[in-house]
């Protein structure tokens, strides 16, 4: 591995993704919308127009709802899409503009496509690009260096991979 910052961030992302592939290859259609608790669950639901809409609250509930794999996969796709927008110098899209694909196979393909786009975006960056300012890590957050956005994206990927993997393992063991 080279000693550049971008190489380190790419290595971290690749390591996390390699762990995710184990679960992506084993997810079953029923895993995505299976509710992991009897109540207080967040999931994705079909809207009248046929799109899938995630449960959401502008102020995080207390206690935090237990998410389905469908919701977690939408969440991963949402933040990754907006992070890609910022890495490429675009205005980040709104949360409501990112919809869940609607089934397991399409979701896995969507996430793998985002991974491919992410790698291409990272490969186009230089270490000097990491110091450029981007809008921030989310609505209302202050601008930050692109390197911070990439480190945050790696942390979010790790968290979402762990949550999806844990939910899949619990279902597989039941």
């Amino acid at each position: 591995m080279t000693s550049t910052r971008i190489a380190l961030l790419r290595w971290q992302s690749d390591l996390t993704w390699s762990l995710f592939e184990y679960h992506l290859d084993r997810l079953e259609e029923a895993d995505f919308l299976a509710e992991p608790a009897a109540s207080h669950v967040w999931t994705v639901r079909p809207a009248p127009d046929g799109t899938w809409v995630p449960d959401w609250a502008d102020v995080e509930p207390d206690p935090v709802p237990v998410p389905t794999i469908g919701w977690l996969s939408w969440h991963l796709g949402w933040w990754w899409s907006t992070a890609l927008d910022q890495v490429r110098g675009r205005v980040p899209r709104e949360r409501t503009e990112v919809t869940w694909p609607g089934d397991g196979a399409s979701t896995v393909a969507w996430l793998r496509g985002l991974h491919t786009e992410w790698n291409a975006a990272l490969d186009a960056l230089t270490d000097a690009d990491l110091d450029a300012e981007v809008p921030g890590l989310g609505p209302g957050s202050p601008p930050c260096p692109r390197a911070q956005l990439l480190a945050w994206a790696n942390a979010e990927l790790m968290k979402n991979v762990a949550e999806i993997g844990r939910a899949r393992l619990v279902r597989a063991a039941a």
Side-chain angles (χ1 to χ4, degrees), residues 73-142:
S73 61
W74 163 79
H75 183 252
L76 193 163
W78 166 49
W79 66 254
W80 219 353
S81 296
T82 60
L84 270 164
D85 291 339
Q86 292 190 61
V87 168
R88 292 178 170 154
R90 300 178 191 151
V91 174
R93 65 196 90 179
E94 296 295 323
R95 173 185 52 82
T96 55
E97 295 177 71
V98 180
T99 59
W100 190 66
D103 66 78
S106 298
T107 298
V108 169
W110 177 49
L111 295 175
R112 285 181 171 145
L114 286 170
H115 175 249
T116 299
E117 287 183 58
W118 185 253
N119 284 344
L122 292 181
D123 289 346
L125 296 175
T126 65
D127 266 19
D129 294 328
L130 297 179
D131 297 324
E133 194 172 84
V134 296
L137 304 179
S141 66

Side-chain angles (χ1 to χ4, degrees), residues 1-15:
M1 183 173 86
T2 64
S3 60
T4 65
R5 294 181 296 158
I6 193 69
L8 178 61
L9 290 163
R10 174 65 188 267
W11 171 83
Q12 188 180 46
S13 176
D14 287 346
L15 173 63

